[in-house]
Amino acid sequence: MTRIALFAISFLIVQTAQAQDFTKYFDMQCEDTCHHVHGIDLSHYQGKVFWDAIGKNAKMAYVYLKATEGGDNIDHMYQENIQLAHQHGLKVGSYHFYRARIPQQRQLENFMRQCRPGDQDLIPMIDVETASGLGYDEFRDSLTIFLDLVEKTYKQKPLVYSGANFYDKYLEGLLDHYMIMIAQYTEREPKLRDGRDITMWQYTGKGSINGVRGHVDKSRFMGNHKLREIRFRHR
């Protein structure tokens, strides 16, 4: 065997070992390497969830569950999930996926039928990911009306979830008085174009956790923000 061939084989062995180390590094979960307050969000897409296993994971302090979408859609796992999540000691909140073309009152009533104040540990979250084909101003007006309705109903401002790019394009300057969760699946922390404060960061859509088959969305608090800031205020 020639020296060149031996060198090539040695190089491949080293590269393979380095690649394996690289993979191991990125298989590590964020909560294993930091001290932030972490949580997850779930919907029917995760299927049957083994809440006893999740409840034993001390690194997960909260969970947001999908309750509804638009004017009629109800997540069929919501009632089971919220009941079992409470039984296993998790702080639970509920979210609604907003569809801007559907009348706001109809969407609110859909959400209210599922998201009952007595079941909530955390403030409602509104998931805003699409303008539904509306123009910039029409979409922003639509969302503002809906957020006002949610606030009046639950007597507290909801948390608003969106992606970093979608926020910069449609939401800049609109949510200054709301806490926000921003999705950005990169190693670096998100920074919005207007520089505003971010309460929570959804840092992966491909996390893993005992009790859930497949991928799960994970998030954490940013900076000095704490879980108490999003607690549901019961009156």
Side-chain angles (χ1 to χ4, degrees), residues 76-212:
H76 69 266
M77 293 296 295
Y78 174 74
Q79 291 298 335
E80 176 179 331
N81 280 339
I82 197 167
Q83 179 182 356
L84 293 176
H86 276 134
Q87 286 181 11
H88 292 284
L90 287 151
K91 300 300 181 186
V92 186
S94 305
Y95 75 90
H96 173 80
F97 191 100
Y98 184 64
R99 295 289 185 184
R101 286 188 176 274
I102 297 173
Q104 295 89 353
Q105 185 63 38
R106 182 175 155 197
Q107 295 196 62
L108 176 67
E109 290 170 359
N110 187 27
F111 189 48
M112 287 171 59
R113 283 191 290 270
Q114 302 302 314
C115 180
R116 297 185 292 268
D119 295 336
Q120 310 304 309
D121 302 305
L122 309 176
I123 59 177
M125 182 167 73
I126 308 305
D127 184 340
V128 185
E129 301 183 43
T130 175
S132 301
L134 297 183
Y136 178 83
D137 290 332
E138 187 179 5
F139 166 71
R140 284 165 65 97
D141 289 345
S142 169
L143 179 60
T144 298
I145 291 170
F146 184 69
L147 293 177
D148 286 344
L149 286 172
V150 173
E151 180 179 355
K152 289 175 182 176
T153 299
Y154 291 97
K155 306 297 189 293
Q156 50 210 304
K157 289 183 179 295
L159 177 69
V160 181
Y161 167 96
S162 191
N165 292 333
F166 190 87
Y167 177 95
D168 285 341
K169 183 175 181 179
Y170 288 102
L171 302 176
E172 183 177 356
L174 187 68
L175 304 174
D176 291 347
H177 301 293
Y178 293 86
M179 290 182 286
I180 57 174
M181 181 192 290
I182 294 297
Q184 179 176 287
Y185 302 156
T186 62
E187 290 184 48
R188 69 183 187 279
E189 293 185 351
K191 291 186 179 179
L192 300 174
R193 188 167 59 195
D194 59 7
R196 67 149 298 173
D197 181 58
I198 298 172
T199 306
M200 301 163 76
W201 170 27
Q202 187 183 90
Y203 55 85
T204 182
K206 294 186 176 181
S208 61
I209 186 173
N210 288 340
V212 178

Side-chain angles (χ1 to χ4, degrees), residues 11-109:
F11 179 79
L12 287 172
I13 292 171
V14 170
Q15 291 297 306
T16 300
Q18 289 179 341
Q20 289 174 343
D21 289 340
F22 185 81
T23 300
K24 287 179 182 177
Y25 174 80
F26 280 100
D27 280 344
M28 292 182 69
Q29 302 291 296
C30 178
E31 66 270 15
D32 295 325
T33 61
C34 72
H35 300 287
H36 299 97
V37 178
H38 290 259
I40 57 177
D41 65 79
L42 296 171
S43 71
H44 68 276
Y45 290 113
Q46 278 73 40
K48 180 72 174 179
V49 173
F50 298 92
W51 286 102
D52 54 340
I54 296 178
K56 293 173 184 175
N57 188 332
K59 295 174 182 177
M60 293 296 119
Y62 62 88
V63 56
Y64 266 99
L65 299 173
K66 184 176 183 180
T68 50
E69 178 175 335
D72 303 298
N73 186 285
I74 296 170
D75 192 289
H76 69 266
M77 293 296 295
Y78 174 74
Q79 291 298 335
E80 176 179 331
N81 280 339
I82 197 167
Q83 179 182 356
L84 293 176
H86 276 134
Q87 286 181 11
H88 292 284
L90 287 151
K91 300 300 181 186
V92 186
S94 305
Y95 75 90
H96 173 80
F97 191 100
Y98 184 64
R99 295 289 185 184
R101 286 188 176 274
I102 297 173
Q104 295 89 353
Q105 185 63 38
R106 182 175 155 197
Q107 295 196 62
L108 176 67
E109 290 170 359

